[in-house]
């Protein structure tokens, strides 16, 4: 295990590949745009989660174990889908009006219990612009976080369980990024109101179901392996990876991560078409075929740690920014 991130001299690969693809396949521009039907999926999945929370509440607290099973088998997929919708709204890929996209993100975030949509949106756009910059990219673990976890299998498993909470807390390390604005306040108010309504009408078992759903969706679950798939690497020559397996059907093609970074203005339903138009650029890259296998490899392979990432500043790679 290394106690430092991998250091890369070249700039992130996506802008240059974007230019190269457009030179050879200018018709890729036709794929750019929005998909307002994503809003219909948003409504359907939120109603599904509220309905299942109500069912768990009706069964009562003695069925807490069933709520956990349902969260693992169903709720994780629903909440992961909602998280992808937040991601689409972040890139304004649902509506033309930015305000409507922010409202969509807040609505999709409601079953996630914790109000993270607006903070995620701000940090995610920074991640695209400054991939691998320890001072700007919240997708990178903090050095203390990586040092604490190390490459011990049980520590990595615990880290995945706690990942949703850690992700919400990460923006606090950036002095140059603020996630507080009027939209954040609206998001907090909406989330608190929703949580109170769930407890009042669905009971604590309903709230447990939703909380477990988000923990599984983003944590110790095959779906949680997407965080490893996207940018964790054992070879610094490639720092972004796609997943082309069947779970993309349930996660709105979120596995097409190289494609998304190259063209963040293409909505989720057209990302497979992008790969099909430019196979010479994507078929030559290493990709992941099984999230379950990747999850097990990340936990049990001692070569993997939270430092298995690429950064672009040698000092940041070694110890992070000076205090």
């Amino acid at each position: 295990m290394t106690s430092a991130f991998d250091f890369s001299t070249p700039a992130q690969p996506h802008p240059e590949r974007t230019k190269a693809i457009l030179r050879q396949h200018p018709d890729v521009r036709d794929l750019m745009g929005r998909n307002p039907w994503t809003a219909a999926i948003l409504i359907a999945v939120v109603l599904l989660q509220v309905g299942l929370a109500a069912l768990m509440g009706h069964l009562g607290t003695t069925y807490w174990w069933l709520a956990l099973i349902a969260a693992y088998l169903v709720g994780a997929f629903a909440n992961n889908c909602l998280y992808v919708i937040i991601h689409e709204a972040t890139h304004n890929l649902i509506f033309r009006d930015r305000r409507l996209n922010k409202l969509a993100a807040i609505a999709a975030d409601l079953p996630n219990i914790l109000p993270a949509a607006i903070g995620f949106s701000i940090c995610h756009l920074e991640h695209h612009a400054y991939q691998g910059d320890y001072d700007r990219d919240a997708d990178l673990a903090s050095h203390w976080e990586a040092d604490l976890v190390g490459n011990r299998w049980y520590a990595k498993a615990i880290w995945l369980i706690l990942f949703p909470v850690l992700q919400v807390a990460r923006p606090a390390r950036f002095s140059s990024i603020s996630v507080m604005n009027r939209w954040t306040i609206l998001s907090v108010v909406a989330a608190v109101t929703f949580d109170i309504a769930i407890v009042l009408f669905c009971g604590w078992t309903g709230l447990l179901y939703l909380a477990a759903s988000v923990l599984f969706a983003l944590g110790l679950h095959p779906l949680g392996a997407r965080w490893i798939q996207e940018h964790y690497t054992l070879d610094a020559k490639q720092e972004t990876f796609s997943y082309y397996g069947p779970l993309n059907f349930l996660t709105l093609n979120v596995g097409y991560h190289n494609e998304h970074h190259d063209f963040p203005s293409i909505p989720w339903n057209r990302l497979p078409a992008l790969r099909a138009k430019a196979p010479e650029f994507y078929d030559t890259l290493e990709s992941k075929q099984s999230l379950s296998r990747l999850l097990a490899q990340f936990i049990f392979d001692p070569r993997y740690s939270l430092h298995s990432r690429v950064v672009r500043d040698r000092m940041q790679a070694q110890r992070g920014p000076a205090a």
Side-chain angles (χ1 to χ4, degrees), residues 245-273:
L247 287 179
N248 277 312
F249 178 76
L250 297 174
T251 59
L252 305 186
N253 292 328
V254 73
Y256 286 75
H257 206 61
N258 266 306
E259 292 82 351
H260 167 66
H261 265 273
D262 293 345
F263 291 92
S265 55
I266 294 179
W268 65 271
N269 58 307
R270 300 175 196 162
L271 291 175

Side-chain angles (χ1 to χ4, degrees), residues 50-323:
V50 171
L52 288 174
L55 175 61
M56 294 301 119
H58 175 73
L59 293 175
T61 54
T62 56
Y63 282 88
W64 62 267
W65 54 272
L66 183 60
L68 295 181
I69 293 174
Y72 192 88
L73 296 178
V74 180
F77 293 92
N79 277 54
N80 191 280
C81 179
L82 291 173
Y83 212 87
V84 179
I85 292 174
I86 293 170
H87 174 261
E88 292 291 295
T90 294
H91 291 282
N92 297 304
L93 296 177
I94 304 176
F95 304 109
R96 289 185 179 275
D97 191 318
R98 291 178 180 271
R99 293 168 296 181
L100 290 178
N101 283 291
K102 290 185 183 297
L103 289 173
I106 292 172
D109 203 31
L110 292 177
N112 291 331
I113 302 300
L114 295 176
I118 302 303
F120 168 81
S121 297
I122 294 169
C123 291
H124 183 70
L125 294 178
E126 290 283 303
H127 165 64
H128 272 267
Y130 302 99
Q131 181 177 320
D133 185 334
Y134 185 84
D135 288 330
R136 305 290 296 265
D137 188 355
D139 198 58
L140 291 166
S142 300
H143 276 282
W144 68 263
E145 189 180 334
D147 291 340
L148 182 64
V149 172
N151 65 344
R152 296 164 295 178
W153 71 267
Y154 59 88
K156 287 186 283 186
I158 294 172
W159 176 78
L160 280 169
I161 292 172
L162 298 176
F163 182 79
V165 178
L166 292 170
Q167 189 181 46
V168 170
R170 272 187 192 167
R173 89 167 188 244
F174 303 109
S175 59
S176 60
I177 301 173
S178 174
V179 297
M180 288 302 301
N181 55 45
R182 60 180 181 175
W183 290 103
T184 307
I185 295 172
L186 177 60
S187 177
V188 171
V189 171
V192 171
T193 303
F194 179 85
D195 293 348
I196 292 173
I198 288 294
V199 173
L200 290 177
F201 296 102
C202 303
W204 290 104
T205 311
L207 188 69
L208 172 65
Y209 166 76
L210 292 177
S213 293
V214 71
L215 285 174
F216 290 137
L218 305 181
L220 192 59
H221 187 283
L223 292 174
R226 63 171 276 207
W227 307 110
I228 312 306
Q229 164 241 310
E230 291 177 350
H231 296 292
Y232 281 79
T233 181
L234 296 177
D235 183 355
K237 293 178 182 177
Q238 183 176 335
E239 59 189 275
T240 305
F241 298 83
S242 290
Y243 159 75
Y244 298 125
L247 287 179
N248 277 312
F249 178 76
L250 297 174
T251 59
L252 305 186
N253 292 328
V254 73
Y256 286 75
H257 206 61
N258 266 306
E259 292 82 351
H260 167 66
H261 265 273
D262 293 345
F263 291 92
S265 55
I266 294 179
W268 65 271
N269 58 307
R270 300 175 196 162
L271 291 175
L274 168 61
R275 183 192 178 201
K277 283 179 179 290
E280 69 275 23
F281 289 92
Y282 295 114
D283 291 351
T284 56
L285 297 173
E286 179 187 343
S287 61
K288 309 299 181 181
Q289 302 304 317
S290 170
L291 292 182
S292 297
R293 184 163 60 245
L294 178 61
L295 179 67
Q297 182 184 12
F298 173 75
I299 292 174
F300 295 108
D301 188 335
R303 294 177 297 170
Y304 268 115
S305 75
L306 303 193
H307 278 126
S308 300
R309 296 288 300 266
V310 172
V311 301
R312 298 198 144 71
D313 182 287
R314 191 178 299 277
M315 294 300 292
Q316 291 176 345
Q318 295 298 322
R319 57 179 174 80

